[in-house]
Amino acid sequence: MNIKIIGVGKLKEKYFKDGIAEYAKRLGRFTKFQIVEVPDEKAPESLSSSEMETVKQKEGERILSKIKDKEYVFALAIEGKERSSEEFSKELTQLATYGHSDITFVIGGSLGLDAAVMKRSNAQISFGRFTLPHQLMRLVLTEQIYRAFMINEGSPYHK
């Protein structure tokens, strides 16, 4: 299995990088794991709704350029389906069992994901109704992917 996270913007905070690196290292025994960063679109603080759509569209094009046809894509979105860690673990196992060995997760920028990215996604996943910084979301997602593998292994890590 190959797992990829596509994130908008550069991760600057060392503590996020360190946490992600730790889980990425642990994931190495289960899967090929990578994080792909695409540049965020520079924009002023106050944007009109059409300017916001333009920013999301440009970021969306960058995201879509990193996704191959065969990849199964999860878009992270507040309106997506919430899953328990056990359900998420089972879903990843089923995807691999039924021929989806390339799984990609997409985390949008501060304005969210463009409609074209949502349309390309096979499923939407939500980590609840909280708004979280997209940098923190990378760490949380990486940990949950690791947790999913540990659940499948029957490891006490999950308890």
Side-chain angles (χ1 to χ4, degrees):
M1 182 182 291
N2 298 307
I3 294 183
K4 173 170 64 180
I5 296 174
I6 300 173
V8 173
K10 192 137 186 73
L11 201 57
K12 298 173 191 78
E13 298 84 355
K14 184 179 182 329
Y15 50 93
F16 287 143
K17 286 181 178 179
D18 291 347
I20 291 167
E22 177 60 31
Y23 288 114
K25 184 175 82 177
R26 293 181 188 187
L27 276 166
R29 68 181 235 221
F30 300 110
T31 184
K32 184 178 174 224
F33 177 79
Q34 66 173 325
I35 292 183
V36 175
E37 293 180 334
V38 298
D40 54 351
E41 187 64 22
K42 301 295 175 232
E45 281 298 309
S46 58
L47 295 171
S48 70
S49 56
S50 68
E51 287 171 323
M52 284 184 196
E53 287 306 312
T54 301
V55 167
K56 289 197 310 188
Q57 184 181 9
K58 287 179 179 176
E59 290 175 349
E61 288 166 3
R62 293 176 190 141
I63 290 167
L64 291 170
S65 75
K66 303 295 182 189
I67 299 173
K68 295 179 181 68
D69 288 345
K70 65 178 179 161
E71 293 174 22
Y72 189 95
V73 178
F74 283 98
L76 273 69
I78 287 176
E79 66 273 14
K81 179 183 172 216
E82 290 184 44
R83 295 151 172 84
S84 68
S85 294
E86 294 85 357
E87 289 167 339
F88 182 56
S89 174
K90 186 176 180 183
E91 190 171 3
L92 289 182
T93 300
Q94 288 175 335
L95 286 170
T97 302
Y98 294 104
H100 295 288
S101 58
D102 295 304
I103 299 173
T104 297
F105 296 88
V106 179
I107 303 171
S110 57
L111 298 176
L113 289 168
D114 185 51
V117 176
M118 296 299 282
K119 188 169 187 255
R120 168 57 184 90
S121 69
N122 301 90
Q124 292 82 41
I125 189 167
S126 173
F127 282 75
R129 293 175 50 204
F130 284 114
T131 299
L132 297 172
H134 53 279
Q135 302 92 329
L136 175 59
M137 201 61 239
R138 286 188 208 180
L139 175 58
V140 172
L141 176 59
T142 304
E143 189 280 336
Q144 283 298 303
I145 293 167
Y146 174 70
R147 181 176 297 274
F149 280 101
M150 295 307 283
I151 289 169
N152 282 337
E153 193 179 65
S155 165
Y157 172 84
H158 175 58
K159 302 293 175 223

